[in-house]
Amino acid sequence: GPGRNIAFKKAFDYLEEGNIRDGVATLAAERANWLFSPDAFVRAARHYESAAQILIRRAVMSAKQFIKYERADATAMTPENVWTIAESAARIDISGGWTDTPPVTYEHGGAVVNAAILIDGKRPIGAKVRRIPEKHLVLVMGEQRIVVDSVDTLSTYTQPQSPGALLKAGFCCARVVTLEYAGTLSEQLDALYGGGFELHTWSNLPQGSGLGTSSILAGAVIAVLWQCIGVPFTDDSLVHAVCLLEQMLTTGGGWQDQVGGIVKGFKIARSRNTLPLRIDTEQIQVPDAFVDTFNNHLVLIYTGKTRLARNLLQNVIRNWYARAPELVQNADALVTTAEACYAAFQQQDLSAIGACLNQYWEQKKVMAPGCEPAFVRKMIDVMAPHVHGQSMAGVRCLSATFVERLWNGAVPHRGCDTAGDIQHDIERLRHVPSIGTCSHVWHGKISAKIFVC
């Protein structure tokens, strides 16, 4: 069962306050009351896992100090009814994934190589916001529209299944509003902005695509909110802000997704085995000719199957805290492979990149046993003689036309499986300050972009 028994609340409160000594002592004292049967013992263990999650959340939120925030004056805000829009690339992970996941990322240290990609020539993830005269928040997600008119409704972002939880957390994480304000939400919005906000989000990727949608969407939300209220920011601040937002949501998660979608092109991002958690991102400089070569060998196949079981992350964390030798050795290997992949990009060696990708997929299976469906294994075996490398995250290093021939001839057709047109995106986040007609190009020098119209 869930780890939420009231008997453990005092211990959890201590941990939330940062009082680890009394929190652990109180946990141990309560544990003694749960040793009368195997079922009760398991229930107590669930509460120890909940305690660990509190400590992980506090550790990741140490990244807050790397968010450079300067509130601008009212003249820097966009006018009412003027949209601020952000559109972002998706990301593919090429090496090192799982080492960005807490607690591995700050206990062991992490390194991930990934890339921003366009899907069918477009950025598939986006958000837009405008100031409105009404003193409330309007959240729009597809056909769903929510009006937030109280602090109590806003505070439900800690319940991940709550409608609009990510958008609500975005307003608080970006410090557009605060739950600690003495008055009502309407009074707070009136005092700070003279009105409210209407925020829309979208993604044209299927749920469970493995392309980093939720974290990248969180980055787009924070970016448009900061831009709308006139707060200057950097990619680095945005990456760390998403870490904070995901902990506010209590969903956890690593940092490589937002790095992949926010920062342009190919990059390697690293974290050290220490706190506070800091993500250092380095763009991998390669000539345009190699970018073209990579694009010509990059294909995404959507299988229609989600990759991860719901309890997979929990099992990885359990095995990590048990310090299972194969898991610790594999974490070492993941970082080593990421650094080798980084060197292969610098040398523009497509075969070596593919070899790292193959090695990476085997390492991911050690980290998360059972993550490879039999159908995908068959696809990988069929394609292996013809490709540089392949991984479940969505990258296939071979030509699109050859994939389609293999697909139609050697792999039984399934209605939900399609080969998509992907392109490595060499663009990055930028601001287009002009106000006027919305017009932009998909190909340029940015990976996610913000414009005002």
Side-chain angles (χ1 to χ4, degrees):
R4 295 193 294 269
N5 191 285
I6 191 66
F8 288 86
K9 183 179 184 303
K10 185 176 180 180
F12 291 166
D13 288 344
Y14 280 135
L15 296 177
E16 291 282 9
E17 296 166 0
N19 185 347
I20 297 176
R21 180 186 295 274
D22 288 345
V24 171
T26 306
L27 274 173
E30 181 58 34
R31 180 187 62 195
N33 300 323
W34 293 73
L35 304 182
F36 56 86
S37 73
D39 286 347
F41 189 85
V42 170
R43 288 296 307 280
R46 295 286 193 194
H47 289 80
Y48 268 74
E49 286 189 326
S50 295
Q53 288 301 320
I54 293 172
L55 297 179
I56 291 171
R57 183 166 66 252
R58 287 181 58 84
V60 175
M61 292 182 80
S62 66
K64 183 177 182 178
Q65 64 186 271
F66 303 113
I67 305 171
K68 296 179 180 178
Y69 181 90
E70 300 176 12
R71 181 174 290 280
D73 60 44
T75 61
M77 293 192 296
T78 58
E80 281 189 1
N81 294 316
V82 173
W83 289 106
T84 300
I85 306 171
E87 294 167 326
S88 181
R91 74 96 186 94
I92 49 171
D93 54 319
I94 304 173
S95 285
W98 281 114
T99 66
D100 66 304
T101 304
V104 180
T105 190
Y106 58 80
E107 292 184 353
H108 176 276
V112 178
V113 174
N114 63 24
I117 61 168
L118 303 175
I119 305 295
D120 294 328
K122 299 179 180 180
R123 295 179 189 78
I125 301 164
K128 67 178 183 178
V129 68
R130 65 176 175 176
R131 295 174 54 221
I132 57 176
E134 296 79 11
K135 298 173 183 62
H136 57 228
L137 307 177
V138 179
L139 314 179
V140 180
M141 301 144 290
E143 300 298 319
Q144 188 175 21
R145 185 178 186 273
I146 301 170
V147 175
V148 178
D149 55 10
S150 71
V151 171
D152 287 343
T153 304
L154 185 64
S155 67
T156 60
Y157 65 72
T158 57
Q159 305 165 24
Q161 302 306 316
S162 170
L166 187 150
L167 284 68
K168 295 173 186 175
F171 275 100
C172 295
C173 182
R175 292 199 256 180
V176 176
V177 293
T178 175
L179 301 180
E180 287 74 38
Y181 189 81
T184 65
L185 179 61
S186 175
E187 291 168 345
Q188 181 178 181
L189 290 168
D190 187 35
L192 294 174
Y193 312 107
F197 296 87
E198 181 178 342
L199 174 63
H200 295 231
T201 59
W202 62 89
S203 170
N204 296 322
L205 296 173
Q207 186 174 7
S209 66
L211 299 179
T213 303
S214 60
S215 297
I216 297 171
L217 184 61
V221 166
I222 296 172
V224 293
L225 290 173
W226 275 344
Q227 179 76 2
C228 182
I229 63 174
V231 172
F233 63 94
T234 64
D235 288 352
D236 189 59
S237 287
L238 197 53
V239 165
H240 288 89
V242 174
C243 288
L244 181 63
L245 184 147
E246 292 189 327
Q247 296 306 314
M248 292 170 64
L249 284 171
T250 72
T251 55
W255 43 254
Q256 71 132 319
D257 292 348
Q258 64 263 33
V259 168
I262 291 170
V263 182
K264 74 173 181 179
F266 305 111
K267 77 283 298 187
I268 183 168
R270 302 178 178 95
S271 64
R272 293 185 295 169
N273 58 337
T274 186
L275 291 175
L277 174 62
R278 182 182 180 98
I279 301 107
D280 294 307
T281 304
E282 177 186 349
Q283 295 168 0
I284 305 175
Q285 303 299 327
V286 295
D288 291 344
F290 180 75
V291 174
D292 292 339
T293 298
F294 190 90
N295 280 338
N296 290 335
H297 287 76
L298 180 65
V299 171
L300 182 73
I301 297 175
Y302 176 53
T303 66
K305 302 289 184 181
T306 55
R307 183 171 60 91
L308 299 178
R310 292 182 62 183
N311 62 347
L312 190 149
L313 176 60
Q314 185 180 44
N315 289 336
V316 170
I317 293 174
R318 286 173 180 168
N319 290 335
W320 176 255
Y321 275 132
R323 287 303 189 266
E326 66 276 10
L327 207 68
V328 176
Q329 294 168 10
N330 195 57
D332 293 339
L334 281 162
V335 171
T336 299
T337 301
E339 295 293 348
C341 188
Y342 167 65
F345 269 104
Q346 289 183 311
Q347 297 161 10
Q348 304 165 45
D349 187 338
L350 200 61
S351 294
I353 294 169
C356 289
L357 188 62
N358 284 332
Q359 193 171 23
Y360 173 42
W361 178 234
E362 295 305 315
Q363 291 162 349
K364 285 204 284 189
K365 290 191 290 183
V366 173
M367 211 70 176
C371 67
E372 180 183 72
F375 169 61
V376 171
R377 179 73 258 169
K378 182 176 181 180
M379 287 175 54
I380 289 175
D381 290 342
V382 168
M383 296 180 187
H386 311 285
V387 303
H388 291 295
Q390 46 190 328
S391 172
M392 187 67 178
V395 61
R396 300 290 187 268
C397 290
L398 65 163
S399 74
T401 54
F402 188 61
V403 166
E404 290 172 358
R405 185 160 57 85
L406 263 177
W407 188 256
N408 293 330
V411 181
H413 176 70
R414 301 166 67 92
C416 60
D417 299 328
T418 60
D421 173 24
I422 333 180
Q423 184 177 9
H424 164 249
D425 188 8
I426 60 172
E427 303 188 351
R428 70 177 295 278
L429 189 70
R430 71 178 175 92
H431 313 301
V432 181
S434 60
I435 299 174
T437 304
C438 289
S439 64
H440 57 278
V441 296
W442 289 106
H443 308 287
K445 298 296 180 186
I446 58 175
S447 140
K449 69 179 178 181
I450 297 181
F451 54 95
V452 181
C453 61

